[in-house]
Amino acid sequence: MRIGIDLGGTKIEGLVIDDAGVEKARLRVPTPATSYEQDVKAIVDLIAELERQVGARCTVGIAHPGAVSPATGLVKNANSTRLNGRPLPVDLKHALGREVRLANDANCFAVSEASDGAAAGCGIVFGVILGTGVGGGIVIDGRPLTGAQAIAGEWGHTPLPLPHDDERPGPRCYCGRIGCIETWLSGPRLQDQFARHTSRQMRATDIAEAAAHGDVEAAAQMELYCDRLARALSVVVNIVDPHAIVLGGGLSKMAVLYDRVPELWKRYVFSEPEFIATRLLPPRYGDSSGVRGAAWLWPPGASA
């Protein structure tokens, strides 16, 4: 059996699945608010409890924010900044006494949905996280694409394509750059934009719900959001040409995206508009995709 761990900013989730993908155990604990060392301890303790519940030693895969640098072996680009510069793979290996596989959380989401999720059977899958942050991961024939810098799929920190005049130069991102896709498509950005234009405070998913029920102001802001998402995804389609794009994160619950964005990206994709075959899909496993993808980092039959 295999364990998947999803290390998030507010919670650490773990589950055990067998080679058929059947869930055997699941636990969720708060992410410590204290230190990196406590993060490692919480992961190790969670794994020990999961193995106790299923009575077996398991392979372990970890989904985490950021990436592990191929040059240094240290975590980089994590929005949970205390992970940055830390040797997380080595520390977990020593603490657990076994090899551990780690991957970016968006990559794990994409692996899950490409393995037995919404995009099962698709050769090239782009998995998108739309939430507090914006991330992406690429899976080709069931395997995550990592890249020379371990940043493949990090579209959230590229500039918004084809910006309108009022979108230049764009907001400053936590990464230090200006106009990143994340600064336009994250949940907080949608909420802030709606508040500025309407003087109303609403959650992102509630804005979409209001738009669906005829709220004119909400509909206008959702149309702008869909157009920005269509522009951002059109570049992915032009470069990677995926068979499917699966949306994850809290904003993936907004039903309007799946109808409107494929219509809008016809303006931007470098192909015949009436013959764009890429599908935009909701996730099968929702919030569980990251932790399931972490478990799938080990091939069937692998031993701990």
Side-chain angles (χ1 to χ4, degrees), residues 3-8 12-14 39-40 42-44 46-47 59-66 68 83 88-89 92-93 96 99-108 290-298:
I3 286 176
I5 299 291
D6 188 1
L7 173 58
I12 304 173
E13 185 172 11
D39 289 342
V40 172
I43 293 170
V44 171
L46 185 58
I47 291 168
T59 60
V60 177
I62 309 284
H64 65 94
V68 175
L83 298 175
L88 185 60
L92 287 172
K93 178 182 177 180
L96 292 168
E99 293 290 336
V100 178
R101 293 191 175 184
L102 292 90
N104 171 264
D105 47 10
N107 284 1
C108 289
V291 71
R292 289 181 63 88
W296 285 123
L297 293 175
W298 288 91

Side-chain angles (χ1 to χ4, degrees), residues 53-302:
Q53 290 189 16
V54 299
R57 181 179 171 95
C58 306
T59 60
V60 177
I62 309 284
H64 65 94
V68 175
S69 168
T72 66
L74 307 178
V75 176
K76 64 177 181 177
N77 299 343
N79 53 10
S80 297
T81 53
R82 66 172 177 248
L83 298 175
N84 291 326
R86 297 287 192 160
L88 185 60
V90 172
D91 290 342
L92 287 172
K93 178 182 177 180
H94 287 166
L96 292 168
R98 75 191 87 163
E99 293 290 336
V100 178
R101 293 191 175 184
L102 292 90
N104 171 264
D105 47 10
N107 284 1
C108 289
F109 166 78
V111 167
S112 174
E113 292 298 332
S115 296
D116 63 346
C122 294
I124 304 174
V125 177
F126 186 64
V128 174
I129 303 297
L130 295 175
T132 305
V134 172
I138 301 167
V139 173
I140 300 175
D141 294 332
R143 300 184 62 181
L145 182 67
T146 302
Q149 281 73 233
I151 58 170
E154 279 290 2
W155 74 311
H157 293 282
T158 57
L160 180 71
L162 302 170
H164 302 161
D165 288 343
D166 61 356
E167 293 171 337
R168 299 186 182 95
R172 182 168 294 279
C173 184
Y174 82 89
C175 74
R177 296 171 179 84
I178 294 175
C180 288
I181 285 171
E182 178 166 309
T183 68
W184 293 109
L185 296 181
S186 70
R189 170 63 176 178
L190 174 57
Q191 292 163 189
D192 291 346
Q193 174 183 284
F194 182 78
R196 284 201 314 273
H197 283 84
T198 67
S199 299
R200 298 157 61 192
Q201 299 287 340
M202 294 176 67
R203 296 190 311 166
T205 51
D206 291 338
I207 297 169
E209 186 70 15
H213 287 85
D215 186 312
V216 175
E217 292 180 325
Q221 294 306 310
M222 285 307 305
E223 178 70 5
L224 180 56
Y225 183 90
C226 287
D227 184 68
R228 287 169 175 162
L229 181 57
R231 280 182 269 156
L233 290 178
S234 72
V235 175
V236 174
V237 177
N238 288 345
I239 295 173
V240 182
D241 205 12
H243 298 93
I245 297 173
V246 186
L247 302 184
L251 276 65
S252 69
K253 299 180 178 70
M254 301 192 302
V256 65
L257 302 182
Y258 304 99
D259 293 326
R260 192 65 185 131
V261 172
E263 188 63 32
L264 289 167
W265 74 26
K266 293 178 181 179
R267 304 173 183 175
Y268 310 118
V269 172
F270 188 59
S271 186
E272 309 98 320
E274 66 273 27
F275 297 125
I276 297 173
T278 301
R279 293 180 294 155
L280 185 65
L281 303 171
R284 177 177 179 183
Y285 293 110
D287 292 344
S288 295
S289 278
V291 71
R292 289 181 63 88
W296 285 123
L297 293 175
W298 288 91

